[in-house]
């Protein structure tokens, strides 16, 4: 959530920055904001005026009583009573206004950092660097669907059990998928200093509001209600949501917390399934595993001092890149433009891995600095050197998306006979197996 003081101080500048994003007209209802702010200012001014009058009258009551003027004291008390009623009405309306302003701000995305390139969509993204050289095949390269199906990738069974965009893995392909996740976890914990966590796969609405998925993106979530007593209705507040990413529970570790500066940075990682309805993406990537309703991911989260967050962003991008480098998978890093930024991000790097079957680079990780956007929602703070509570900065990134990494391994390590060579970094996780054969 944006700092309301920033909007009050320089609304025009904030609007100008928001307008560099995609569909800015949907982000902030300026007329509604200004109307609410105008009423808030008027009420706050009136409240301060009433409090001053009440204090003055209360002093008069004491003075009049001291002079023996009971009639005057009673009249002053009556005025105090009238002011009290008006103050209570004003306080109730002020509280209501604050709620309406907060609801308005919950739909407003983060402001892009000054280093984010301007652009209306993904065509405006800027390539930062590349690593590795795409392999030249001496046979016609297949995509992961044709390679993986004989190895145990079963799309038909996924449809039978759940529907489209669900996949079953069996045998060697399932083992390779597991090996990738374990390899990623070990790399992030042992080499990069993240604490491994196990988190719930279903969370409450407060957790999703804290990281920005609710209320704006409820359509992208899978929701389920907890069961109630037999014959009793289940209350609305019993709804839980399947996590779209482990970023949600991990970042919420610091919700309503004040940590010490000495505890920073907090570095967390978790392997979890992720569930996304992919609202608005129908018709895109319908073949294979690129866009699924359920997929696995090893997530990285850092919670840091505000002065360190952009240093942490570069570091986290490197942690994600290390996975691809150790697997020998060519990739590129792009700086997302303003029109392609996610809702809560101030700046994002995407890692795009080379897929021979598509003859293209495809996203396999996003690493984002949310600055204080999530912390303001979460009320996640630390006590700074001056002893004052200050909002933390939060960052998140994939390290990596396991399913897409599986796709990349299958396509980049395929052989002419339909087998797949296991990358050396995974040999110990595959019990020494070096080749997957149909």
């Amino acid at each position: 959530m944006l700092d309301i003081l920033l909007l009050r101080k320089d609304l025009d500048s904030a609007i100008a920055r928001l307008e560099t994003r995609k569909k800015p007209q949907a982000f902030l209802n300026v007329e509604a904001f200004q109307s609410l702010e105008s009423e808030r200012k008027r009420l706050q001014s009136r409240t301060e005026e009433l409090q001053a009058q009440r204090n003055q009258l209360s002093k008069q009551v004491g003075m009049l009583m001291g002079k023996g003027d009971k009639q005057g004291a009673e009249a002053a008390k009556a005025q105090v009573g009238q002011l009290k009623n008006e103050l209570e009405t004003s306080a109730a309306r002020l509280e209501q206004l604050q709620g309406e302003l907060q609801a308005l701000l919950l739909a407003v995305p983060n402001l892009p950092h000054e280093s984010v390139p301007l652009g209306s969509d993904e065509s405006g993204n800027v390539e930062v660097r590349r690593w590795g050289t795409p392999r030249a095949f001496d046979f016609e390269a297949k995509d992961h669907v044709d390679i993986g199906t004989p190895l145990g990738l079963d799309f038909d069974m996924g449809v039978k059990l759940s529907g489209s965009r669900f996949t079953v893995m069996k045998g060697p392909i399932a083992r390779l998928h597991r090996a990738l996740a374990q390899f990623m976890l070990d790399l992030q914990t042992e080499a990069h200093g993240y604490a491994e966590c196990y988190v719930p796969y279903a969370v409450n609405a407060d957790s999703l509001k804290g990281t920005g998925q609710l209320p704006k993106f409820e359509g992208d979530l899978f929701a389920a209600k907890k069961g109630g007593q037999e014959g009793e209705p289940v209350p609305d507040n019993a709804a839980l949501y399947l996590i779209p990413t482990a970023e949600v529970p991990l970042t919420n570790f610091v919700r309503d917390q004040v940590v010490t500066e000495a505890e920073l940075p907090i570095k967390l990682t978790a392997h979890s399934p992720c569930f996304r309805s992919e609202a608005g993406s129908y018709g895109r990537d319908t073949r294979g595993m690129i866009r699924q309703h359920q997929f696995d991911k090893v997530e990285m989260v850092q919670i840091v001092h505000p002065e360190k967050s952009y240093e942490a962003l570069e570091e986290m991008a490197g942690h994600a890149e290390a996975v691809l480098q150790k697997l020998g998978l060519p990739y590129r890093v792009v700086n997302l433009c303003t029109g392609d930024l996610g809702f809560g991000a101030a700046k994002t790097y995407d890692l795009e891995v080379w897929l021979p079957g598509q003859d293209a680079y495809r996203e396999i990780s996003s690493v984002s600095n949310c600055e204080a956007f999530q912390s303001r929602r979460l009320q996640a703070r630390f006590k700074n050197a001056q002893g004052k509570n200050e909002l933390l900065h939060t960052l998140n990134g994939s390290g990596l998306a396991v399913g897409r990494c599986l796709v990349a391994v299958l396509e980049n390590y395929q052989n002419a006979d339909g087998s797949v060579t296991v990358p050396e970094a995974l040999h110990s996780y595959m019990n020494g197996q070096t080749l997957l054969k149909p």
Side-chain angles (χ1 to χ4, degrees):
M1 189 164 62
L2 296 185
D3 185 356
I4 196 169
L5 296 179
L6 174 65
L7 297 180
R8 288 170 180 165
K9 181 181 177 181
D10 194 355
L11 180 60
D12 290 342
S13 176
I15 293 299
R17 292 170 69 185
L18 285 173
E19 284 179 344
T20 65
R21 281 177 162 269
K22 193 173 184 179
K23 298 179 181 176
Q25 69 276 10
F27 291 151
L28 178 61
N29 187 329
V30 177
E31 186 178 339
F33 176 77
Q34 290 177 324
S35 175
L36 290 169
E37 267 295 286
S38 176
E39 185 180 357
R40 182 198 62 80
K41 286 180 184 177
R42 181 181 59 77
L43 265 179
Q44 201 155 324
S45 177
R46 177 60 178 160
T47 298
E48 291 169 359
E49 181 183 322
L50 290 170
Q51 287 171 337
Q53 290 179 18
R54 182 187 61 184
N55 293 340
Q56 186 177 7
L57 284 167
S58 296
K59 289 179 182 178
Q60 284 183 10
V61 169
M63 291 171 59
L64 291 167
M65 289 291 288
K67 293 179 180 179
D69 186 353
K70 291 184 178 179
Q71 186 176 357
E74 288 301 320
K77 283 182 182 179
Q79 286 182 280
V80 170
Q82 290 175 352
L83 291 176
K84 180 184 176 184
N85 291 337
E86 190 175 347
L87 274 168
E88 288 175 350
T89 301
S90 294
R93 178 55 184 157
L94 272 173
E95 185 176 351
Q96 184 181 4
L97 282 171
Q98 295 290 4
E100 291 177 24
L101 281 165
Q102 182 163 354
L104 199 66
L105 291 181
L106 285 175
V108 181
N110 205 350
L111 299 178
H113 187 259
E114 59 185 12
S115 64
V116 174
L118 296 177
S120 58
D121 54 34
E122 61 184 18
S123 65
N125 295 342
V126 175
E127 185 174 313
V128 178
R129 57 185 171 270
R130 291 190 182 202
W131 184 92
T133 303
R135 174 184 167 192
F137 291 87
D138 56 7
F139 59 91
E140 187 177 350
K142 299 177 182 178
D143 73 359
H144 69 282
V145 177
D146 292 334
I147 302 164
T149 300
L151 296 171
L153 203 55
D154 195 335
F155 297 100
D156 291 338
M157 185 63 74
V159 171
K160 176 182 177 180
L161 298 178
S162 302
S164 62
R165 299 186 190 267
F166 287 93
T167 304
V168 167
M169 286 176 267
K170 298 178 288 189
I173 206 99
R175 183 169 194 165
L176 182 61
H177 185 266
R178 173 164 57 93
L180 282 164
Q182 290 178 319
F183 161 69
M184 292 174 193
L185 270 179
D186 285 348
L187 181 62
Q188 301 306 349
T189 55
E190 294 170 9
H192 302 148
Y194 291 83
E196 182 176 349
C197 304
Y198 175 82
V199 295
Y201 300 159
V203 295
N204 55 34
D206 285 344
S207 296
L208 288 152
K209 286 176 184 173
T211 47
Q213 283 82 9
L214 285 178
K216 191 172 180 62
F217 300 105
E218 186 164 11
D220 292 327
L221 303 170
F222 282 104
K225 286 194 174 182
K226 294 183 290 186
Q229 296 295 322
E230 186 176 350
E232 293 181 3
V234 178
D236 288 340
N237 63 3
L240 291 177
Y241 297 84
L242 300 180
I243 58 172
T245 164
E247 168 204 343
V248 176
L250 290 175
T251 308
N252 271 272
F253 282 9
V254 291
R255 171 157 47 102
D256 298 323
Q257 299 291 313
V258 179
V259 302
T260 65
E261 193 169 345
E263 293 176 76
L264 303 176
I266 298 170
K267 300 168 69 173
L268 309 170
T269 188
H271 166 225
S272 77
C274 306
F275 304 90
R276 299 182 186 178
S277 74
E278 294 292 348
S281 69
Y282 294 99
R284 295 174 59 196
D285 297 311
T286 55
R287 178 176 168 85
M289 294 183 65
I290 295 296
R291 198 174 297 277
Q292 297 276 282
H293 289 316
Q294 176 185 317
F295 60 95
D296 279 37
K297 186 151 62 79
V298 171
E299 185 72 4
M300 306 176 294
V301 163
Q302 287 204 31
I303 297 153
V304 305
H305 191 288
E307 294 176 3
K308 302 282 189 179
S309 65
Y310 280 94
E311 178 183 324
L313 178 65
E314 301 298 327
E315 177 187 73
M316 288 180 71
H319 294 163
E321 289 179 71
V323 178
L324 295 173
Q325 290 178 10
K326 289 184 179 297
L327 292 172
L329 296 171
Y331 67 88
R332 67 176 188 167
V333 179
V334 296
N335 185 5
L336 295 195
C337 71
T338 53
D340 203 27
L341 276 181
F343 181 76
K347 183 174 182 177
T348 296
Y349 289 122
D350 267 8
L351 274 63
E352 298 179 349
V353 69
W354 176 253
L355 297 183
Q358 296 191 22
D359 194 32
Y361 287 97
R362 294 301 303 268
E363 178 201 335
I364 196 167
S365 173
S366 286
V367 183
S368 300
N369 185 359
C370 298
E371 296 184 353
F373 186 83
Q374 292 179 327
S375 295
R376 192 168 285 108
R377 290 168 171 252
L378 294 163
Q379 281 302 289
R381 296 152 292 168
F382 74 102
K383 199 164 289 292
N384 63 23
Q386 292 73 42
K388 295 182 179 179
N389 291 345
E390 185 178 347
L391 290 170
L392 294 156
H393 278 197
T394 62
L395 302 95
N396 62 80
S398 308
L400 303 166
V402 182
R404 291 196 179 190
C405 202
L406 177 70
V407 168
V409 168
L410 292 177
E411 295 195 7
N412 283 277
Y413 283 92
Q414 62 180 294
N415 300 310
D417 63 358
S419 65
V420 174
T421 301
V422 176
E424 186 177 351
L426 300 179
H427 287 180
S428 62
Y429 296 91
M430 294 290 290
N431 197 26
Q433 186 175 2
T434 61
L435 196 67
L436 301 186
K437 297 180 180 180

